[in-house]
Amino acid sequence: RGRSITSGSHEFGINYWDRLLEASASSERAFVRELAEQLALHEAALLRGVAPHELQGLAFAKATKAERAPNVLRLISHFNRMSRWVCTQVVRQPTTRERARCLRLFIELANACRELGNFNGVMEIVAAINSSALFRLKRTWEVLPRASRKDFDELGELVRPDKSHAALRHAMRLAAKRAAVPYLGLYLTDLTFIEDGNKDWVADDEG
C-alpha cells in the first residue's frame, strides 16, 4: 500500500504527519522516527534520480533547465514545497500551545533526520523554522520547552553558512561512511562557483 508522508493527500492510505499529531506523548518519539525514515527514503529516491549530465555546465541554471535537469528541479521543488508545508502546519494550529507542540515536533523531526543522515531533510525543516512566518511567533517560542530550543540551536550550528558551511560539510563527510542523503543545494553552489570562476578554455602557453 502506498503512503502519504505529509497531510493534504490521503489517496495513498497512511498519512504519517496526521498520525504523529494524533499520537499520545508516550508514542510521539516512535512516530517522529517513522516519519523521518519515510522522508529519508523519499528524498533518497529523488536524489538517485539525478543524472550526472544534469550537473554539468550548470544545466540546472540554464534557460533549458526543465529539459536538461528535470530531476534536479524536482528535488529543489520538493525542498521548497516541504519548507512551505512545515510553515503551514505550524501557523494553521489554532492555539499557542498547539503551535508550540507542532514546532517542537518539527525540531524533533529535524533531529531524527540528522541521526539518519538525511541532511536535505534537516535543511528544509530548519529553513522553514527560520523563516519570518515562524520565527516571529514570539508567544509560541516562549512556551516551547527549553530542551527543544537547545536542540534547535544545535541544529542551527550545524547548518550555519560560516566558512562555506564547514560544519555541514564535515557532518556530511562523516555520514558518507553509511547511507545518507546530502544537501544537494550545497553542491549546486559549489558547481556554480567552479563554473563561473574558471575559464572554459586555456591558451596553449597556460598548459
Side-chain angles (χ1 to χ4, degrees):
R1 178 171 57 168
R3 293 165 171 80
S4 172
I5 296 174
T6 60
S7 60
S9 175
H10 297 276
E11 60 184 305
F12 298 118
I14 300 175
N15 188 305
Y16 291 95
W17 175 248
D18 284 354
R19 284 176 53 169
L20 174 56
L21 286 182
E22 296 167 1
S24 63
S26 61
S27 58
E28 277 182 354
R29 183 182 297 274
F31 282 107
V32 166
R33 180 74 178 194
E34 183 180 41
L35 176 55
E37 289 172 349
Q38 294 302 318
L39 185 61
L41 289 171
H42 180 66
E43 296 187 346
L46 289 175
L47 185 63
R48 285 196 301 270
V50 176
H53 67 80
E54 298 185 48
L55 304 175
Q56 295 173 350
L58 298 185
F60 54 85
K62 303 297 184 181
T64 55
K65 58 188 176 183
E67 294 78 29
R68 296 177 60 191
N71 296 299
V72 172
L73 297 186
R74 189 172 293 115
L75 189 54
I76 293 173
S77 176
H78 166 80
F79 184 102
N80 294 333
R81 186 169 62 251
M82 281 297 298
S83 289
R84 290 194 299 268
W85 175 79
V86 169
C87 290
T88 300
Q89 295 310 307
V90 176
V91 300
R92 72 193 291 264
Q93 302 303 318
T95 68
T96 299
R97 189 166 298 279
E98 287 173 293
R99 286 191 292 274
R101 176 177 181 252
C102 196
L103 183 58
R104 173 179 60 80
L105 290 174
F106 276 123
I107 292 172
E108 291 178 8
L109 179 61
N111 255 330
C113 287
R114 177 173 62 174
E115 292 171 0
L116 291 169
N118 180 9
F119 296 99
N120 192 75
V122 173
M123 286 294 294
E124 61 198 11
I125 296 171
V126 172
I129 296 175
N130 275 329
S131 69
S132 59
L134 300 190
F135 205 74
R136 67 184 180 183
L137 297 176
K138 183 178 179 181
R139 293 182 181 178
T140 299
W141 285 95
E142 287 175 349
V143 300
L144 187 71
R146 184 175 300 178
S148 297
R149 186 55 191 259
K150 181 176 181 293
D151 287 342
F152 183 66
D153 288 343
E154 291 176 356
L155 289 167
E157 288 296 315
L158 173 66
V159 303
R160 282 179 63 181
D162 299 39
K163 298 180 180 179
S164 189
H165 286 92
L168 182 60
R169 291 179 190 276
H170 177 69
M172 290 198 297
R173 280 196 297 270
L174 294 178
K177 299 175 182 178
R178 58 187 174 90
V181 183
Y183 171 50
L184 183 63
L186 195 59
Y187 299 116
L188 298 182
T189 300
D190 289 345
L191 290 170
T192 301
F193 277 115
I194 291 171
E195 190 78 15
D196 291 345
N198 294 278
K199 299 177 182 179
D200 291 335
W201 304 93
V202 295
D204 291 341
D205 57 359
E206 293 181 9

